[in-house]
Amino acid sequence: MDRLVYVYKSRRKLRTFLYVPEKDVFSHIPAALMDAFGAPEFVMVFALKKERKLQKITVEELNRALDEKGYLLRIDLESEEENLLNQERKRLGLPPLEKEQIGEFFH
């Protein structure tokens, strides 16, 4: 049987999405992450299949995250200009962070 995945977007963070295996169940997600994410807004539900094409992530990555942590946080950074963290790092003379490194701040 295919796994159902529920997708929520953050009202606080632009282009930030949370994938969970149960609708409206967030009790297993770290409190700090949920505080930063804000009140989740339901976007969609879909059946996760091997042949399914997803944006920005693979089926394997999503399955692994749901199995290991019970959720996946996706932060889409379209450009450096929209990435406020890297703008501030640049201002401070620090090197920019990769998308994966930024995601680690929420784990």
Side-chain angles (χ1 to χ4, degrees):
M1 185 166 139
D2 297 321
R3 168 185 258 172
L4 291 179
V5 179
Y6 299 85
V7 182
Y8 295 82
K9 70 178 182 176
S10 173
R11 293 179 183 172
R12 288 186 184 165
K13 308 281 185 183
L14 188 63
R15 287 188 288 283
T16 302
F17 301 91
L18 190 60
Y19 294 72
V20 294
E22 295 180 77
K23 188 170 197 253
D24 298 333
V25 176
F26 307 105
S27 56
H28 61 289
I29 299 174
L33 187 151
M34 289 307 297
D35 288 344
F37 192 84
E41 182 178 326
F42 180 74
V43 175
M44 65 185 266
V45 60
F46 64 90
L48 189 60
K49 301 177 181 187
K50 285 184 181 181
E51 64 276 359
R52 184 170 188 101
K53 299 290 182 202
L54 302 172
Q55 289 186 343
K56 313 282 184 177
I57 58 172
T58 67
V59 169
E60 294 79 19
E61 289 171 322
L62 181 53
N63 258 324
R64 185 172 40 257
L66 293 176
D67 288 342
E68 293 174 3
K69 297 187 296 187
Y71 68 92
L72 180 125
L73 178 69
R74 187 182 103 204
I75 303 170
D76 292 343
L77 303 176
E78 296 300 319
S79 68
E80 187 174 325
E81 292 76 35
E82 294 172 294
N83 179 348
L84 297 177
L85 178 60
N86 275 339
Q87 282 184 19
E88 182 64 9
R89 289 180 63 84
K90 183 177 180 181
R91 188 185 71 74
L92 296 171
L94 299 170
L97 296 175
E98 298 294 325
K99 186 161 111 176
E100 294 79 21
Q101 293 171 303
I102 292 170
E104 291 172 8
F105 280 98
F106 294 95
H107 294 262

